[in-house]
Amino acid sequence: MLEQKTIEIIKSTVPVLEKHGETITTRFYQLMFGNHPELLNIFNHANQKQGRQQKALAGTVYAAAMYIDNLEAILPVVKQIAHKHRSLGIKPEHYPIVGKHLLLAIKDVLGDAATDEIIDAWGQAYNLIADAFISVEAEMYEEAATQDGGWDGFRNFVVDRKVVESDVITSFYLKPEDKKGIATFIPGQYISIKMEIGGEEFTHIRQYSLSDAPGRDYYRISVKREAGTENPDGMVSNYLHDDVKEGDLLKVSAPAGDFILDTEKNTPVVLLSGGVGLTPMMSMLKTLVEIQPSREVTFVHAAANSNVHALRYEVEELSKLETVKSFFFYDSPTEEDRMNNRFDVEGYITREWLEDKVSVDNADFYFCGPVPFMKAINRSLKDLGVKEDRIHFEFFGPMGNLEE
Ligand SMILES: Cc1cc2nc3c(=O)[nH]c(=O)nc-3n(C[C@H](O)[C@H](O)[C@H](O)COP(=O)(O)OP(=O)(O)OC[C@H]3O[C@@H](n4cnc5c(N)ncnc54)[C@H](O)[C@@H]3O)c2cc1C
Ligand code: HEM
């Protein structure tokens, strides 16, 4: 436990660090990657360039510091991040590297204002926060490796089938190279893929939600090609689409993530997705039909039009069950879409529509999609009085704030 004086120093300096938050963490990454370029094999370079990861890490360290005398209170957040760390392969030996460079960066940016006493207090605080992560992650590593069909780190999977689902989304069916069993997962969870790309100095790790139900002898992921307009094309998604062929090997870590379907409940479920955000919802929908066929499910998917609308036939098949209703929203339908009635509603999902069509009073809501989509859904649900414990969502990138 920290001394009271140390706790006071930390809490009183949090606002100063918050003010310089991004400057400090930008400097931190420069210093750390300068001394440890091997860490570029783990970190997402595009997130770095867009400053997204900077915000996530800075925000969490300061939030944690405010709770330094009661870290239990932020355990759910620690667990969420720990899932991602475990999936990426972050190990205890990485923590002192981050700690050392964070303190160096604080000293660098604050100059004389960062007295030895302040730096010492933050060193102690960081170690406590790091210990909390390390112990949660140790349990997760243990579970990932020892469960039935589980494994440690990255395991080779063969691309058994590659299926084009729309103009921009392709599914990959992955089977283990060793032909042994694979760990089960909870619908909503993701795997990480570590990609070695010819000509690239570093490996690139990305997460992909599992888009089929558990209990198969494969994992399915469905990947959207991220085409950059002004920016470079997405590295891994384009490589998967263009270069990875059936029979190729991919390195995969065991399923992770705390965005999970609660099948203990029997109340209605509403699954809302925008674009490729439908992947975890597909896993949830399939599972609900398989193991809770009497549960009321509403599947709502928003896409630009049928050209980019993936997995529609699977959803239509599953919607034959009386308890499952599905709705497709297109914001830019083609003439053909209109002629063939390929969508239910033109435009975006609105609060009024939700109020009219779904069980706002008792349903659990799961959603995923582009951040503006997620903000709009979150706002609508809050306006309709849905409490936080019935709102569940996943970011397909560093976690952010939907209330901003
Ligand atoms: C939990 C989770 C689940 C996910 N599930 C899925 C899924 O089921 N399906 C799926 O398709 N994706 C999913 N994702 C997203 C996926 O992990 C990747 O982020 C996505 O495939 C893009 O990776 P990439 O390597 O192609 O693009 P990156 O190279 O990482 O680039 C990302 C974006 O940044 C832009 N960019 C690149 N370089 C720069 C630069 N220098 N400056 C500015 N912008 C730049 C690119 O144009 C691109 O739009 C998930 C993510 C998470 C966190
Ligand atoms: C107490 C220390 C740490 C904190 C508070 C922290 C916090 C975070 C947060 C908030 C995220 C984003 C999670 C998400 O969006 O889901 C994240 C992701 C990540 N963390 Fe940590 N982290 C810590 C330590 C480390 C260490 C020691 C490493 C490895 C050297 C590391 C590597 C990563 C990587 C690679 C990601 C994925 C995002 C990306 O690649 O851009 N973290 N961390």
Side-chain angles (χ1 to χ4, degrees):
M1 213 36 235
L2 300 184
E3 281 180 21
Q4 194 52 35
K5 186 158 178 249
T6 312
I7 294 174
E8 276 160 24
I9 294 174
I10 291 159
K11 290 197 175 177
S12 66
T13 48
V14 165
V16 186
L17 297 193
E18 265 174 347
K19 194 167 146 245
H20 296 280
E22 281 185 56
T23 325
I24 294 171
T25 34
T26 304
R27 183 77 187 120
F28 150 71
Y29 281 117
Q30 276 170 357
L31 290 167
M32 185 169 77
F33 292 140
N35 288 332
H36 292 272
E38 75 282 1
L39 291 180
L40 287 165
N41 285 306
I42 312 180
F43 280 87
N44 179 324
H45 304 199
N47 284 354
Q48 291 294 320
K49 296 208 172 90
Q50 295 172 60
R52 291 191 292 190
Q53 172 62 7
Q54 274 88 331
K55 284 186 204 158
L57 204 145
T60 313
V61 172
Y62 307 137
M66 281 313 275
Y67 289 93
I68 199 68
D69 44 357
N70 180 23
L71 282 176
E72 284 289 309
I74 56 157
L75 203 57
V77 184
V78 173
K79 280 196 176 151
Q80 184 184 1
I81 300 163
H83 270 285
K84 196 164 275 173
H85 281 166
R86 200 280 290 151
S87 165
L88 287 156
I90 309 302
K91 291 290 170 66
E93 57 268 28
H94 290 126
Y95 280 86
I97 303 176
V98 165
K100 175 180 157 192
H101 292 91
L102 198 54
L103 292 184
L104 282 175
I106 292 175
K107 184 84 201 147
D108 239 31
V109 173
L110 298 188
D112 290 343
T115 60
D116 289 349
E117 202 180 29
I118 292 177
I119 292 293
D120 179 58
W122 274 94
Q124 292 187 50
Y126 174 82
N127 288 342
L128 263 190
I129 298 168
D131 285 347
F133 276 89
I134 291 169
S135 75
V136 170
E137 284 160 20
E139 276 176 37
M140 291 180 176
Y141 276 108
E142 169 80 13
E143 202 192 321
T146 56
Q147 65 189 321
D148 272 355
W151 68 96
D152 191 24
F154 288 85
R155 176 175 173 191
N156 277 341
F157 277 68
V158 184
V159 177
D160 187 57
R161 268 194 314 140
K162 196 174 163 182
V163 178
V164 174
E165 310 281 10
S166 80
D167 284 1
V168 290
I169 297 179
T170 291
S171 288
F172 297 78
Y173 289 74
L174 310 174
K175 290 188 172 177
E177 187 191 24
D178 59 21
K179 296 195 164 61
K180 294 188 181 145
I182 54 172
T184 189
F185 62 91
I186 308 174
Q189 289 192 307
Y190 56 82
I191 54 173
S192 281
I193 294 204
K194 183 172 13 181
M195 195 68 89
E196 281 156 24
I197 299 180
E200 279 288 316
E201 189 179 356
F202 299 105
T203 55
H204 296 274
I205 307 180
R206 299 288 183 271
Q207 288 71 47
Y208 292 101
S209 300
L210 294 159
S211 64
D212 208 334
R216 318 289 196 249
D217 66 348
Y218 58 81
Y219 293 137
R220 181 177 74 172
I221 58 168
S222 306
V223 179
K224 179 186 166 211
R225 181 195 283 283
E226 287 298 341
T229 36
E230 289 125 53
N231 301 318
D233 283 349
M235 179 87 74
V236 173
S237 61
N238 282 280
Y239 189 76
L240 280 164
H241 275 251
D242 296 335
D243 298 283
V244 172
K245 301 177 297 299
E246 289 178 0
D248 285 354
L249 291 181
L250 296 177
K251 289 191 171 4
V252 174
S253 68
D258 69 346
F259 173 64
I260 47 174
L261 176 69
D262 183 351
T263 49
E264 298 288 304
K265 284 190 175 175
N266 239 319
T267 40
V269 186
V270 182
L271 308 172
L272 299 143
S273 56
V276 75
L278 96 167
T279 52
M281 306 307 158
M282 285 305 304
S283 181
M284 292 185 186
L285 177 62
K286 288 188 152 203
T287 305
L288 286 160
V289 168
E290 280 175 24
I291 68 169
Q292 294 191 296
S294 59
R295 195 167 173 191
E296 186 187 311
V297 185
T298 311
F299 183 96
V300 191
H301 180 57
N305 52 48
S306 63
N307 296 335
V308 290
H309 182 178
L311 300 163
R312 107 171 259 141
Y313 299 107
E314 281 186 24
V315 174
E316 282 173 347
E317 241 351 85
L318 296 160
S319 309
K320 286 182 182 158
L321 195 69
E322 214 182 308
T323 47
V324 177
K325 284 200 215 98
S326 59
F327 298 93
F328 300 141
F329 279 69
Y330 286 180
D331 59 77
S332 324
T334 62
E335 271 319 303
E336 256 202 307
D337 292 339
R338 289 184 201 285
M339 269 167 14
N340 297 313
N341 288 326
R342 288 211 187 110
F343 56 99
D344 299 290
V345 185
E346 180 165 350
Y348 297 124
I349 304 166
T350 61
R351 190 187 66 181
E352 291 70 26
W353 186 88
L354 288 168
E355 191 170 19
D356 192 33
K357 299 284 187 205
V358 304
S359 311
V360 168
D361 295 338
N362 63 343
D364 269 73
F365 292 83
Y366 294 83
F367 58 92
C368 182
V371 173
F373 167 92
M374 290 175 62
K375 284 189 174 172
I377 298 289
N378 187 55
R379 185 71 271 140
S380 297
L381 296 178
K382 293 275 169 70
D383 288 350
L384 290 169
V386 181
K387 295 274 176 300
E388 285 200 352
D389 62 348
R390 289 193 285 122
I391 299 183
H392 319 273
F393 50 82
E394 178 79 295
F395 283 100
F396 274 7
M399 57 193 200
N401 185 352
L402 291 182
E403 310 284 342
E404 271 171 359

